[in-house]
């Protein structure tokens, strides 16, 4: 009998051991599982690569109504990621073209930029003609625009950024790709599902990193 109390685990059915380990694991902080993935729809050929001295206009992010703030957060993260990976690129936020001080002597650049950006927020994004005009106003070689797709279910949240790069001279798309981040915020414990916090910024960071991994040089 003394031996029973000294080594009680020996007498527990094997099925209880995983349960005990699970309970022990739950004693620490619970974290969501976050994964990332990405795809390239149109890869730029080497002659169309942006180049080490690219000047890129960063257009406002597109999103469904109600997700504008999330889209802006994603765009900020993407800009940070590009700056760290492509230090030779000059990134030009489109909003800076709305500064009256940016209006050149040849005409009302601020008014032209505002009209173009107002037209570039729809589902289709910026047109080829407007991409050429805006690039000329900014003295840019390329433009980049992202669209946020955000989906949240009972068990997980998914963030995708559809990313398009335009060439200044033609306004045409030279590269398209997507970055995706998924955070599962339901963990199944001993007594059923456990909800854990998963933050949009954490998932968005994985998604923009998947985009940056695939951007042409």
């Amino acid at each position: 009998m003394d031996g029973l109390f000294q080594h009680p685990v020996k007498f527990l059915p094997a099925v209880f051991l995983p349960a005990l380990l699970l309970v022990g694991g739950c004693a620490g902080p619970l974290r969501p599982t976050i994964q990332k993935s990405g795809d390239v729809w149109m890869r730029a050929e080497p002659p169309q690569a942006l180049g080490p001295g690219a000047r890129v206009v960063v257009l406002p992010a597109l999103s469904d109504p109600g997700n504008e703030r999330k889209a802006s957060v994603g765009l900020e993260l993407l800009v940070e990621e590009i700056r760290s990976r492509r230090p030779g690129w000059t990134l030009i936020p489109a909003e800076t073209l709305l500064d009256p001080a940016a209006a050149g002597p040849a005409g009302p650049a601020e008014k032209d930029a505002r009209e173009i950006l107002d037209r570039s927020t729809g589902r289709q994004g910026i047109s080829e003609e407007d991409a050429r005009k805006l690039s000329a106003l900014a003295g840019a070689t390329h433009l980049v625009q992202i669209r946020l797709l955000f989906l949240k279910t009972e068990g997980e949240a998914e963030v995708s950024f559809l990313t398009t790069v335009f060439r200044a001279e033609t306004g045409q798309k030279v590269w398209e790709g997507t970055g995706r981040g998924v955070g599962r915020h339901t963990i199944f414990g001993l007594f059923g599902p456990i909800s854990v916090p998963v933050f949009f910024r954490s998932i968005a960071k994985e998604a923009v990193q998947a985009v940056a991994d695939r951007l042409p040089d």
Side-chain angles (χ1 to χ4, degrees):
M1 183 62 71
D2 290 342
L4 174 64
F5 288 102
Q6 290 174 3
H7 304 285
V9 176
K10 289 183 179 180
F11 294 88
L12 289 174
V15 70
F16 284 99
L17 293 179
L20 287 175
L21 293 175
L22 183 59
V23 171
C26 289
L30 299 175
R31 296 184 176 89
T33 300
I34 299 179
Q35 299 174 325
K36 70 177 179 181
S37 63
D39 298 294
V40 173
W41 302 340
M42 179 191 303
R43 179 172 294 282
E45 296 297 328
Q48 294 184 322
L50 276 65
R55 289 176 54 84
V56 185
V57 172
V58 181
L59 294 166
L62 306 175
S63 70
D64 293 330
N67 286 329
E68 292 86 356
R69 177 54 189 157
K70 288 184 173 65
S72 296
V73 169
L75 187 59
E76 292 170 5
L77 291 171
L78 182 60
V79 167
E80 292 175 3
E81 199 69 31
I82 294 176
R83 281 180 174 154
S84 67
R85 295 173 183 239
R86 305 286 193 274
W89 290 8
T90 299
L91 301 184
I92 308 168
E95 292 81 2
T96 62
L97 303 177
L98 304 180
D99 185 350
E110 178 198 0
K111 179 182 177 183
D112 292 345
R114 189 178 300 279
E115 290 177 354
I116 292 172
L117 293 177
D118 286 345
R119 291 194 297 266
S120 304
T121 57
R123 183 168 294 277
Q124 299 303 320
I126 196 168
S127 67
E128 289 186 5
E129 181 180 0
D130 282 341
R132 290 196 303 271
K133 290 180 178 178
L134 197 64
S135 298
L137 291 173
T141 61
H142 296 81
L143 303 91
V144 64
Q145 187 162 49
I146 66 171
R147 177 185 295 279
L148 165 68
L149 299 178
F150 178 63
L151 176 65
K152 187 173 183 180
T153 64
E154 183 177 352
E156 69 179 27
E158 178 181 325
V159 176
S160 294
F161 289 110
L162 313 182
T163 309
T164 306
V165 178
F166 304 84
R167 181 169 289 281
E169 304 95 71
T170 63
Q172 294 179 332
K173 301 174 182 178
V174 295
W175 186 88
E176 285 188 303
T178 182
R180 178 172 174 263
V182 177
R184 292 178 177 83
H185 50 84
T186 297
I187 296 176
F188 289 90
L190 179 61
F191 301 107
I194 302 171
S195 180
V196 297
V198 55
F199 299 103
F200 173 84
R201 192 178 185 89
S202 299
I203 309 175
K205 189 171 182 63
E206 298 296 326
V208 300
Q209 285 179 348
V211 170
D213 288 343
R214 292 160 176 80
L215 275 175
D217 292 332

